[in-house]
Amino acid sequence: MRPPHLRPLAGGILLALASGVVAQDAQLAPVVVTATRTAQSPYDIPAAIDVVATPPDGSLDVNLSERVQAIPGIVARDRQNYAQDAQVSIRGFGARSTFGIRGVRLYTDGIPASMPDGQGQVSHFNLDSADRVEVLRGPFSALYGNASGGVVQIFTAGGTEPPELRFGIAGGSNGNVRSSVNARGVDGPVDYNVDFTHFRTSGYRDHSAARRESGNAKIGWKIDDDARLTLVVNTLDVPDAQDPLGLTRAQYKSDPRQVASVATTFDTRKSVDQQQAGLIYDQHIDDANSLRVMGYYGQRGVTQYLSIPVATQVSQPGNSGGVVDLDNEYGGGDVRWTWRDTLAGRPFELAAGVAYDNQEQHRQGYNNFVGGTLGVRGDKRRDEIDRVFDFDQYAQATWRVADDWSLMGGVRHSEVRFRSTDRYIATGNPDDSGTVKYSATTPVFGVLWRAAPWMHAYANWGRGFETPTFSELGYRADRGAGLAFDLKPSRSHNAELGLKLRPAEGTEAGLAVFRADSDDELAVATNLGGRTTYQNISRSRRQGVEASFSTGLARNLRFIASYTHLQATFRTPFLTCVTAGCPAPDTPVQAGTRIPGVPRSMGYAALKYGGERGWQAGLDMNAMGATSVNDLGTESAPGYALFGLSGGYVFDQGPWRVNTFARVDNLAGRHVIGSVIVNDGNARYYEPAPGRTFLVGVDMRWR
């Protein structure tokens, strides 16, 4: 495994480390729980994991992309389209998703935000109340089960002492406004963090206005010295968010703010309403044993108006219509026992548990027209009950076999069952009911060598798997009745080598080289009458290098940088469809073609000045390499580098802390493509990013 650019990149890292020995500012060492399920320093974990604490004051802080820019390996694109969720992929896993998030496991306070079939969303992530975001990459992600190409987990902050009230408002270009109110504190055995955030935008592009209300509450009760109960509740309301759809290359060049005419013709839009609650019980049994029990339940309703032409719906009896109506109920639980003691006289920790998740979805489809009126709900075209559940068992252990060596390993057995009951059967639309089951056992193993107090080296290996989602199973490529029983889960073999460096106080760096070989990767097979079907591709590969660096250059002055180079390719040839209405795969894709949606490289760098009070300033650069948009590799979104500038002043006096801030993004006012829609059947692959934008705001805290 020899990804390109490794030698010059490693040299650059070492030069940067040499310059970092002048660091003067020490930071509190973060802890993470996503890799080991217990609080540990990421420096002592044989895996690539990063934690982002609450960001500096002075950002809109509405999208996950604002939090994870400095983390290598993860792509989180703000699509400027709140009718579609953010695009999130890790080391190329999840890049094929055209809506929602697949291939990456998502959690809020340990509660799944990914459904059992592997599809999830981050729209209900409440960043205003968050303490930190953790991102796990590489083989150890497989310990979270189906579709674990990586793990993103957000944690709500606990209550503070003394109590605080927080208020914030920020606004800027394109009608962006964010306002929030937050209360957090401690009252005897109870601590709390309650937040409400309102966001609205007129949108950079035409027909892209949206409004989003997000509420989040975390309430903890210390029952006694050994037991704690935590309630996490969140809500989300997104009414009629306009969907501008993508643009062709010619449309983008002509006017990046425009929309395809069908977006306004059919008034494409989406509404989401979600409520979720989770209860977590932690019990310290004795000095060696502890127990954690988690249960959750949620409801999510989605109504979406698509731009499927009337003629297509009328001429295709099996078409599902242009209006999607989904009612979801979901829930589950996780029970985990942890034992901490010694084995052969050395520290040893073992965690073992079982997890169950269930989703029941009532999926209905309707025509998006009534007579000559478009963009309204018409006759019913689809009615089915879809259920998917998983039942997993897992165990993982960490053993410090010597002062300088630690071993970490684990295994997870997953079983995922799908069942669809078709309640709409008509001429030309046969019974599509059916069931299918997938299972896999995914082992992982890692070793960490503490070569020196300032250098830790690690290696790990593991297997992973990803089932098709219900959306991909829904239709067969041969146009027969029932689910796509012929689809197989994708299975991967993953390996990683890495270095974690702390050469001086306040200076950190990381370097990781990785490879993931997958069998039975999913790709588009056909696109006909509004139905997309899928097929398995024999082999694919993702390999690359990640680097990160952070140092204090002087008092209150810090430099942060990260870089990722990624080669993601199909390793075997296959046939695919490239146009809407393609009834069977007919166009060859050559071995070695890039997997779409995956940028060749990406980088981030920032220079930040400021302390707890006084003047604040920052200059940052965000760069993205060229990104292929279709399986053929015939089109791609060009790469770019964008610069941002921020500044402000923090007043901290008495009970009040007031932060005033301003920010300018895309200083040069460049027109770039911010995100892509992979394999769009109409060649509308491109979602433009805004030009130069401005933001001003104030955040206040009262203690």
Side-chain angles (χ1 to χ4, degrees), residues 429-494:
N429 191 339
D431 188 352
D432 290 316
S433 302
T435 63
V436 65
K437 180 185 75 171
Y438 302 103
S439 63
T441 300
T442 50
V444 294
F445 177 78
V447 57
L448 178 78
W449 174 39
R450 299 171 180 83
W454 58 274
M455 181 174 70
H456 291 180
Y458 69 91
N460 55 47
W461 172 90
R463 295 177 180 171
F465 91 114
E466 179 181 357
T467 70
T469 67
F470 244 127
S471 298
E472 293 154 339
L473 283 171
Y475 304 114
R476 290 167 48 168
D478 62 4
R479 285 174 279 174
L483 299 179
F485 298 108
D486 59 325
L487 289 183
K488 304 173 185 178
S490 175
R491 301 178 186 271
S492 59
H493 299 263
N494 310 300

Side-chain angles (χ1 to χ4, degrees), residues 96 102 438 466-468 471-478 484-490 519-527 532-540 570 572-578 582-589 631-632 679:
R96 79 172 188 276
R102 308 176 203 179
Y438 302 103
E466 179 181 357
T467 70
S471 298
E472 293 154 339
L473 283 171
Y475 304 114
R476 290 167 48 168
D478 62 4
F485 298 108
D486 59 325
L487 289 183
K488 304 173 185 178
S490 175
D519 298 325
D520 296 318
E521 177 97 14
L522 285 174
V524 170
T526 68
N527 194 325
T532 300
T533 67
Y534 296 85
Q535 61 181 322
N536 291 110
I537 307 306
S538 294
R539 292 184 292 119
S540 60
F570 298 114
T572 51
F574 62 96
L575 297 177
T576 189
C577 285
V578 296
C582 173
D586 57 3
T587 306
V589 177
D631 286 342
L632 291 177
N679 287 321

